[in-house]
Amino acid sequence: MGNRPDELRALLESVAKQDGPAVEVVVVGNGSPVPEVPAGVRTIELPENLGIPGGRNVGIEAFGPGGRDVDILLFLDDDGLLARTDTAQLCREAFAADPRLGIVSFRIADPDTGVTQRRHVPRLRASDPMRSSRVTTFLGGANAVRTQVLAEVGGLPDAFFYAHEETDLAWRALDAGWMIDYRADMVLYHPTTAPSRHAVYHRMVARNRVWLARRNLPAVLVPVYLGVWLLLTLVRRPSRPALKAWFGGFREGWTSPCGPRRPMKWRTVWRLTRLGRPPVI
């Protein structure tokens, strides 16, 4: 967003220090000018904020249609920092070792405490963030994607703007037979924050949750999935303004176009269940 030049510079330095072949970098200014960057770093300045998925999709296209000029794409938030110099090499080795591995989700840790927030472990059993495992979704600001996945299932859903776009792509990838790994040894330092710091958080989370279900789930599971999330939201007892925004987004999710509907196969539902997260939770 153009308001963290020091953090961006530190991130780019951490990418430049990666072992092995140099990592080609593109910085997307999502509706904002791009600060000064090191030589060799390409930049794209968008005239308006396209949202997180829209901005990332523009970054994908910078590497050819669907990113086809490269084998792997890293997506890194501009206020993050690669903690180690071997992360890129670990990515290369992971994808080379497993031809069905489509996406790798990094571990996000606070740079001062080293603590990984529970919400940053993309599975239900999140008490041990140091345990790597197969998962059913990934973290948008710290991940690597095989570009063949994007060629097969498409990119992130632009219209989501913010929230759940990663799960939409993850479910489509899993339905196409790809797998997703959470790797505790691939670390992005990122300051501890609350997602609710964004003014649109409650509305977007609710709207996009409905879109996610309408686009991807078998019809019989849509009301079950959304009913569970409605109950969970009420149990968490958000403030009155937050709850009002949430219900507004929930209603918007039903009344607005969600994009093409491609319900996942029942074998994908079973795969998600075996991985510990059936698509009703």
Side-chain angles (χ1 to χ4, degrees):
M1 297 300 294
N3 56 358
R4 295 188 285 238
D6 294 338
E7 292 88 342
L8 174 62
R9 189 176 304 108
L11 170 65
L12 295 176
E13 289 174 358
S14 74
V15 173
K17 293 176 181 176
Q18 292 298 299
D19 302 334
V23 178
E24 186 179 354
V25 179
V26 170
V27 175
V28 178
N30 208 350
S32 67
V34 177
E36 184 178 352
V37 297
V41 174
R42 289 189 287 160
T43 62
I44 301 172
E45 293 186 357
L46 302 177
E48 62 177 311
N49 182 0
L50 300 182
I52 293 173
R56 287 180 180 151
N57 284 335
V58 169
I60 292 170
E61 295 300 308
F63 296 94
R68 69 184 182 189
D69 293 347
V70 294
D71 297 320
I72 303 167
L73 284 168
L74 304 179
F75 295 90
L76 304 171
D77 276 355
D78 65 347
D79 55 346
L81 179 74
L82 291 175
R84 297 166 40 163
T85 62
D86 62 349
T87 302
Q89 188 59 31
L90 288 173
C91 282
R92 297 184 187 100
E93 293 171 356
F95 285 108
D98 185 352
R100 296 313 300 168
L101 178 62
I103 303 172
V104 173
S105 187
F106 298 178
R107 180 167 65 89
I108 294 179
D110 184 89
D112 298 320
T113 65
V115 171
T116 295
Q117 290 181 273
R118 188 180 183 89
R119 69 184 181 90
H120 283 152
V121 183
R123 58 177 180 244
L124 290 179
R125 297 176 180 176
S127 59
D128 182 9
M130 301 307 294
R131 178 174 66 88
S132 300
S133 69
R134 295 281 202 204
V135 289
T136 62
T137 188
F138 63 99
L139 306 173
N143 67 81
V145 180
R146 193 190 296 266
T147 51
Q148 189 178 344
V149 173
L150 302 172
E152 287 189 20
V153 307
L156 296 158
D158 287 355
F160 278 44
F161 197 85
Y162 166 80
H164 304 318
E165 67 274 1
E166 302 93 349
T167 300
D168 188 87
L169 176 57
W171 282 2
R172 285 183 280 127
L174 289 164
D175 198 47
W178 295 99
M179 301 303 293
I180 306 170
D181 279 356
Y182 166 72
R183 288 285 297 264
D185 57 339
M186 300 182 188
V187 182
L188 183 83
Y189 283 150
H190 187 283
T192 298
T193 56
S196 55
R197 70 190 185 280
H198 299 292
V200 297
Y201 172 76
H202 295 287
R203 172 178 154 256
M204 292 291 192
V205 162
R207 184 199 67 180
N208 292 358
R209 183 78 70 182
V210 178
W211 282 359
L212 180 68
R214 289 175 59 197
R215 286 163 56 94
N216 295 288
L217 290 182
V220 69
L221 293 184
V222 172
V224 180
Y225 177 79
L226 295 176
V228 168
W229 279 105
L230 173 59
L231 289 174
L232 285 173
T233 299
L234 295 175
V235 167
R236 290 168 178 166
R237 302 180 67 180
S239 67
R240 186 180 295 273
L243 194 61
K244 181 179 179 181
W246 193 94
F247 274 110
F250 193 80
R251 182 170 53 254
E252 184 183 350
W254 286 107
T255 58
S256 58
C258 65
R261 172 168 164 76
R262 299 187 182 94
M264 66 178 63
K265 308 175 189 71
W266 281 103
R267 68 185 182 191
T268 305
V269 173
W270 176 237
R271 179 181 296 155
L272 288 164
T273 302
R274 290 181 61 191
L275 288 170
R277 190 153 198 164
V280 293
I281 302 176

